[in-house]
Amino acid sequence: MMEQPHSCCKGAEVLLNLQPTSSVSIQYHPFFGPHDDLVLLELDEKLLSDVLYQRVTLRGQPDEDAVLCTKSKTYSVKFVGTSNSVFLIPPADCSTSHESGGENYKQQVATASVIKVAPGNMELVEVAPRLDKLKSILSENLYSSDEASTAMGDLYKWDDLINKVQASDDELKAGLQALSAVEIDGYWRIVDEKYMDVILRMLLHNSVLNDWSLDSLVEDKVVSVLESDGFPRKLVYHCLNVYGTRVEEEAMGGGVWRLDARRVCVHFARGILREGKRKMESFMEEWLRMIPEEMQPSFDMLEGEVLTEKLGVETWVRALSVSSLPTTPAERFSILFKERAKWEWKDLEPYIRDLNVPGLSSEALLLKYTRRSQPNIDAEPVFSAR
């Protein structure tokens, strides 16, 4: 006669020790059901410790597909269905066992209680950070010299940004740096280019008045003089960071900075072309006049910042900064081919070299989004939209 079941301290653990060709009985758990709050997540070994020690976060707004972020990378989260039944079995206190057998035979049979049948699992795929939103929200309220304007619109602290932007902490910091954003009174801001232009011009003006070398600007002197001219200390430091590089630390604090010729030259070129395209001769004349004497400008510095085009016998220059383009490849190529139907590689390369798609090389991106043509073996390849 079958004996009554009695409790057993073996649960899901019995499956971990299950030998090949052996089996275990299963039954419905009293709380069996869909349990939508329980999902299976398939992990790469390198991510396991981050998940187990809670060093990951899920980020995204209600209308966005969620991403999972570690400290340095971003992963899309996708559901992958399976045709096989996957049973979820709780820990030991929810399992039972019973004995069976005749007079001369008694055997304990472990019974595992199934609380849910999972239809599939979540899968992680590394993706590029979605930083276009960062540029969009910070550009809504630029920091300018007009104090009244700084109080209008939404402002964002770090915690606000990590809740709104789908990127890891490290990727978000890199995105802020690429936008030349600065933290002012706890809020991350992009400083209006016209205001930055005023600060830079005043710095250059004072370098002439005070006989400062642009290769060795003493931080304390620069900050002190520009503060006396009415510029906030935070913005003076920001100007040095945007257009220069610290080359030396001073023992008493501060440091020595060198202005970067390319960054300064690009700044003035953007200012000239902000109003529209210019004839090459006119542009070069004005541009060279603006550049400090210590710097040696070259048109090559403007790679990825301007496009040239022939109209009759004249060559024209117009602005197209890679920093203004979307970071997603499909949108980037769409805009580029609206600008030009056909691109030579030397012109196209500066506008796609920064595209970051994990698992896809530049060659793979070109194959996916462009058509390559070459009239003859000696001709430069030309790329058009696929």
Side-chain angles (χ1 to χ4, degrees):
M1 186 175 70
M2 182 76 71
E3 296 185 13
Q4 294 295 317
H6 62 82
S7 62
C8 172
C9 292
K10 296 179 181 179
E13 292 82 0
V14 86
L15 301 178
L16 298 177
N17 300 317
L18 198 63
Q19 298 299 313
T21 72
S22 59
S23 62
V24 64
S25 297
I26 60 173
Q27 65 182 18
Y28 286 110
H29 187 277
F31 298 117
F32 178 85
H35 294 287
D36 294 332
D37 57 332
L38 295 176
V39 295
L40 293 178
L41 177 63
E42 183 178 355
L43 287 175
D44 188 282
E45 190 73 27
K46 63 185 180 182
L47 286 173
L48 188 57
S49 62
D50 283 331
V51 173
L52 291 178
Y53 291 101
Q54 299 182 5
R55 296 193 294 257
V56 298
T57 55
L58 285 170
R59 292 180 180 171
Q61 297 297 301
D63 60 341
E64 297 173 325
D65 292 332
V67 297
L68 182 141
C69 295
T70 63
K71 180 177 179 294
S72 60
K73 293 184 177 180
T74 302
Y75 298 84
S76 66
V77 184
K78 297 182 179 179
F79 178 80
V80 179
T82 176
S83 58
N84 298 322
S85 295
V86 180
F87 299 144
L88 269 60
I89 300 172
D93 60 346
C94 293
S95 293
T96 62
S97 70
H98 64 271
E99 293 178 348
S100 64
E103 291 183 2
N104 300 319
Y105 179 73
K106 181 173 285 188
Q107 180 182 16
Q108 188 183 62
V109 180
T111 303
S113 297
V114 177
I115 199 169
K116 170 177 178 166
V117 179
N121 61 270
M122 306 305 290
E123 182 179 78
L124 302 180
V125 179
E126 186 181 349
V127 295
R130 298 166 184 174
L131 295 172
D132 287 340
K133 186 175 183 179
L134 176 66
K135 178 166 60 177
S136 174
I137 62 177
L138 292 185
S139 297
E140 292 172 358
N141 189 15
L142 300 177
Y143 187 95
S144 72
S145 57
D146 183 359
E147 286 297 322
S149 69
T150 63
M152 297 173 61
D154 293 328
L155 299 178
Y156 301 94
K157 295 185 177 182
W158 173 260
D159 287 345
D160 299 322
L161 294 178
I162 62 175
N163 286 328
K164 284 184 170 292
V165 180
Q166 293 183 303
S168 68
D169 287 2
D170 288 353
E171 290 166 333
L172 185 56
K173 290 174 184 176
L176 289 167
Q177 184 176 4
L179 291 173
S180 297
V182 58
E183 191 176 16
I184 301 174
D185 298 329
Y187 296 98
W188 283 94
R189 311 291 299 276
I190 295 177
V191 182
D192 184 81
E193 281 194 13
K194 292 180 180 179
Y195 190 28
M196 290 298 294
D197 181 68
V198 173
I199 302 173
L200 177 61
R201 285 175 184 268
M202 187 58 71
L203 189 158
L204 295 174
H205 176 68
N206 278 294
S207 72
V208 175
L209 291 181
N210 297 288
D211 198 25
W212 296 337
S213 169
L214 300 183
D215 287 334
S216 56
L217 293 169
V218 179
E219 180 179 295
D220 290 344
K221 291 182 179 179
V222 173
V223 173
S224 176
V225 170
L226 290 186
E227 264 196 305
S228 68
D229 288 330
F231 297 103
R233 172 179 287 261
K234 187 80 173 184
L235 271 297
V236 179
Y237 281 118
H238 183 57
C239 181
L240 289 171
N241 269 302
V242 170
Y243 300 111
T245 303
R246 177 176 274 151
V247 293
E248 185 181 331
E249 293 280 353
E250 289 188 338
M252 300 300 293
V256 177
W257 295 74
R258 174 190 297 123
L259 288 193
D260 184 278
R262 183 183 183 278
R263 290 184 230 168
V264 172
C265 291
V266 165
H267 169 83
F268 286 117
R270 286 176 176 175
I272 297 169
L273 297 175
R274 194 174 292 129
E275 303 302 321
K277 65 182 180 181
R278 298 279 293 270
K279 289 182 180 180
M280 176 68 83
E281 294 80 2
S282 171
F283 167 77
M284 290 299 296
E285 181 181 346
E286 184 173 352
W287 187 48
L288 294 174
R289 189 169 62 246
M290 289 181 167
I291 305 302
E293 290 183 2
E294 289 184 47
M295 297 181 177
Q296 302 299 318
S298 164
F299 195 76
D300 291 340
M301 290 178 170
L302 304 182
E303 182 183 71
E305 292 290 335
V306 302
L307 289 178
T308 60
E309 56 186 352
K310 293 282 287 186
L311 295 175
V313 296
E314 300 283 358
T315 300
W316 291 73
V317 184
R318 59 189 175 93
L320 181 63
S321 176
V322 65
S323 63
S324 69
L325 300 176
T327 58
T328 53
E331 294 179 34
R332 174 79 62 91
F333 279 104
S334 175
I335 290 177
L336 290 174
F337 287 120
K338 286 177 182 176
E339 289 285 341
R340 283 184 180 175
K342 295 183 178 182
W343 288 76
E344 292 184 2
W345 174 242
K346 63 180 177 64
D347 295 327
L348 180 62
E349 193 271 340
Y351 289 101
I352 65 170
R353 72 163 70 114
D354 68 313
L355 285 177
N356 172 30
V357 182
L360 279 183
S361 64
S362 295
E363 291 76 13
L365 287 173
L366 288 173
L367 284 172
K368 184 174 182 178
Y369 294 103
T370 72
R371 294 184 187 277
R372 173 179 171 145
S373 59
Q374 203 167 0
N376 58 67
I377 195 171
D378 297 322
E380 288 293 325
V382 174
F383 298 88
S384 55
R386 179 171 288 279

